[in-house]
């Protein structure tokens, strides 16, 4: 992770002047709602309760190799290319999206650690060894089942088949839940945006590429909504007053609907790490 | 012992077509990107597992003894998305096929499988594709 020099100066100055508890600017739910509540156009699919209906199967959104596959069968040649648009930054501005930053802003005392993790990613990234990516690194769900009192998110991840059940009946976070990779989630609607707030995380996942470690005090706010042409939009904000100087919002992803059925993920068996000869690595997710 | 396995230097490649975004490590961390080799032998097993599929092949060495090779390739989900199933690879089990790989830097009989050519002319080949803008 790299902080711009100017940003680093500001961070240092802020840290010197303020107690740690005040140096972190918490993003209040009301501010988020006021800033970017989305009113979808009238033609979006809606559930019986009037909210946009996010139910459906959505395009796979995990980075995979970008190459083509050429297949020859009985003399017939086909060339296939896998569409990764659901994983990438949309080429156009996404209506309703929050402003985003390229990288999170870590407190100065954590910069070296993050830098070290990033440099040694192929040896220390939990995902490399088939562990769960956690929230929000797992990205957008492959399938959504929206019910009146809960919404179910289903994923198709290399680490395994993940589900998240998001209560929407107004209950608070569970007081007795064990910390987990995906956290304890509750959901609500801010007009036409479905907002998922997750907390109670284990601290051994990364919330993004480049060694983006976090503490067990991390909170993640995911926002999902439909565009006027019924594509799903997914955008996540990470709050962690222990390690970050301010909340970090990633770019919004536009995810088209998919006819490709969700599949059981084959077992993950990483067995080539012992063959690593250097620390070369690249983006994955 | 010097191997007599049909070993053809196919050319210099700065990266393996199709695997530059393969999950986790860069191919150059494990494989010798400077040369591809061609091997002829019989596929014995296909493991349809994450994060890479694994293909096993037996090929004869220069002393006539069978050498056991192991290849990884792209993730199963990638193959599924581009229209290749496990059965397409499993069709090679018991057949004498020709593969193109890049070898592991550690010198072991391990490689990254890029192409498999069947005796009947059928082919599965990873090719360089259009590069896309990536964000973490």
């Amino acid at each position: 992770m790299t902080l711009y020099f100017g940003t680093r100066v500001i961070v240092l100055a802020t840290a010197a002047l303020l107690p740690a508890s005040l140096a972190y600017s918490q993003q209040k739910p009301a501010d988020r709602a006021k800033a970017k509540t989305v009113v979808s156009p009238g033609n979006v699919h809606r559930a019986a309760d009037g909210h946009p209906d996010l139910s459906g199967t959505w395009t796979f959104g995990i980075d995979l190799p970008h190459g083509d596959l050429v297949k020859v069968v009985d003399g017939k040649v086909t060339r296939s290319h896998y569409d990764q648009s659901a994983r990438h930054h949309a080429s156009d501005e996404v209506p309703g999206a929050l402003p985003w930053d390229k990288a999170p802003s870590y407190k100065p005392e954590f910069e070296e650690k993050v830098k070290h993790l990033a440099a040694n990613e192929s040896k220390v990234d939990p995902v490399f060894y088939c562990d769960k990516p956690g929230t929000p690194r797992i990205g957008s769900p492959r399938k959504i089942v929206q019910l009146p009192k809960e919404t179910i998110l289903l994923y198709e991840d290399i680490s395994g088949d993940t589900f998240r059940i998001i209560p929407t009946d107004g209950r608070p976070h569970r007081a007795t839940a064990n910390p987990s990779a995906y956290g304890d989630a509750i959901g609500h609607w801010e007009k036409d945006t479905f907002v998922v707030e997750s907390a109670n995380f284990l601290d051994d996942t990364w919330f993004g590429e480049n060694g983006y470690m976090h503490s067990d005090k991390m909170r993640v706010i995911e926002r999902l909504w439909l565009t006027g042409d019924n594509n799903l939009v997914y955008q996540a904000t990470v709050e962690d007053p222990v390690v970050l100087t301010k909340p970090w919002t990633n770019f919004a992803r536009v995810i088209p609907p998919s006819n490709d059925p969700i599949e059981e993920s084959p077992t993950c068996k990483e067995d080539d790490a012992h063959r690593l000869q250097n620390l070369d690595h690249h983006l994955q997710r | 012992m010097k191997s007599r396995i049909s070993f053809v230097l196919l050319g210099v490649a700065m990266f393996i077509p199709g695997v530059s975004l393969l999950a986790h490590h860069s191919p150059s961390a494990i494989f010798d990107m400077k040369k591809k080799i061609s091997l002829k032998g019989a596929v014995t097993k296909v493991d349809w597992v994450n994060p890479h599929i694994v293909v096993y092949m037996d090929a004869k060495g220069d002393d006539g003894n069978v050498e056991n090779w192991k290849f990884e390739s792209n993730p199963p989900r990638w193959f599924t998305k581009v229209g290749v199933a496990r059965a397409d690879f499993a069709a090679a089990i018991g057949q004498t096929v020709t593969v193109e790989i890049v070898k592991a830097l550690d010198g072991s009989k391990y490689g990254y499988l890029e192409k498999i050519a069947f005796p009947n002319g059928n082919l599965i080949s990873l090719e360089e594709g259009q590069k896309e803008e990536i964000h973490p």
Side-chain angles (χ1 to χ4, degrees), chain A residues 65-66 269 272 275 277 280 282, chain B residues 18 20 22 28-29 50 72 108:
Chain A
H66 63 66
K269 294 180 179 177
D272 63 2
R275 301 179 189 277
Q277 301 295 306
D280 288 357
H282 46 67
Chain B
S20 63
L22 177 64
S28 60
N50 278 312
E72 65 177 60
S108 63

Side-chain angles (χ1 to χ4, degrees), chain B residues 26-104:
Chain B
S26 177
S28 60
I30 291 182
F31 302 100
D32 184 349
M33 311 305 293
K34 294 182 179 176
K35 58 184 178 185
K36 299 180 184 180
I37 65 168
S38 176
L39 295 170
K40 198 170 185 179
V43 171
T44 59
K45 186 181 177 186
V46 176
D47 284 342
W48 202 250
V49 295
N50 278 312
H52 325 269
I53 69 162
V54 180
V55 176
Y56 299 82
M57 192 175 94
D58 289 344
K60 280 190 177 180
D62 61 343
D63 57 1
N65 291 329
V66 172
E67 294 182 345
N68 306 123
W69 285 80
K70 181 179 179 181
F71 313 127
E72 65 177 60
S73 193
N74 280 7
R77 196 69 184 88
W78 183 87
F79 279 112
T80 304
K81 288 294 295 181
V82 295
V84 174
R86 180 188 178 279
D88 293 306
F89 282 95
I93 294 176
Q95 292 199 59
T96 299
V97 298
T98 302
V99 298
E100 290 181 10
I101 66 166
V102 287
K103 281 188 69 179

Side-chain angles (χ1 to χ4, degrees), chain A residues 53-276:
Chain A
D53 187 1
L54 309 182
S55 294
T57 305
W58 302 97
T59 299
F60 188 74
I62 294 177
D63 275 339
L64 288 174
H66 63 66
D68 290 356
L69 188 286
V70 172
K71 186 177 181 183
V72 179
V73 178
D74 299 332
K76 182 183 177 184
V77 180
T78 57
R79 187 182 190 98
S80 303
H81 180 77
Y82 173 46
D83 175 15
Q84 291 261 266
S85 61
R87 188 63 192 173
H88 300 168
H89 180 230
S91 56
D92 299 321
E93 185 176 349
V94 182
L98 293 167
W100 60 280
D101 294 315
K102 187 174 182 180
S105 175
Y106 278 89
K107 292 181 178 179
E109 60 267 37
F110 294 105
E111 288 184 16
E112 278 304 312
K113 180 177 181 180
V114 174
K115 190 176 178 181
H116 176 80
L117 292 175
N120 293 275
E121 178 186 335
S122 60
K123 291 188 174 179
V124 298
D125 184 352
V127 166
F128 183 94
Y129 299 95
C130 298
D131 282 346
K132 297 175 181 179
T135 306
R137 196 176 180 187
I138 195 168
S140 55
R142 270 280 281 139
K143 189 176 183 72
I144 299 176
V145 182
Q146 184 176 320
L147 301 170
K149 294 185 178 179
E150 64 185 16
T151 292
I152 301 168
L153 309 181
L154 302 170
Y155 298 84
E156 193 175 27
D157 188 68
I158 283 174
S159 66
D161 305 309
T162 299
F163 66 90
R164 296 168 68 201
I165 299 175
I166 319 296
T168 53
D169 58 0
R171 73 181 68 184
H173 286 291
R174 291 176 291 165
T176 57
N178 289 314
S180 61
Y182 298 102
D184 183 62
I186 51 176
H188 68 278
W189 289 90
E190 293 178 3
K191 294 192 176 176
D192 281 350
T193 299
F194 184 52
V195 180
V196 181
E197 299 192 6
S198 301
N200 199 6
F201 289 102
L202 293 167
D203 63 0
D204 56 359
T205 62
W206 294 5
F207 63 79
E209 191 78 14
N210 296 328
Y212 292 166
M213 42 73 72
H214 60 83
S215 76
D216 60 2
K217 300 294 187 267
M218 177 176 75
R219 292 178 69 252
V220 178
I221 298 94
E222 298 160 281
R223 303 169 72 247
L224 301 94
W225 67 95
L226 296 177
T227 61
D229 50 0
N230 286 297
N231 288 317
L232 180 72
V233 184
Y234 175 87
Q235 188 173 32
T237 296
V238 176
E239 300 179 351
D240 191 335
V242 176
V243 302
L244 300 180
T245 63
K246 61 180 181 179
W248 176 62
T249 298
N250 202 352
F251 60 84
R253 295 185 171 110
V254 178
I255 303 121
S258 171
N259 293 320
D260 182 22
I262 188 169
E263 292 185 352
E264 177 182 331
S265 297
T267 300
C268 191
K269 294 180 179 177
E270 177 60 66
D271 68 349
D272 63 2
H274 65 286
R275 301 179 189 277
L276 291 169

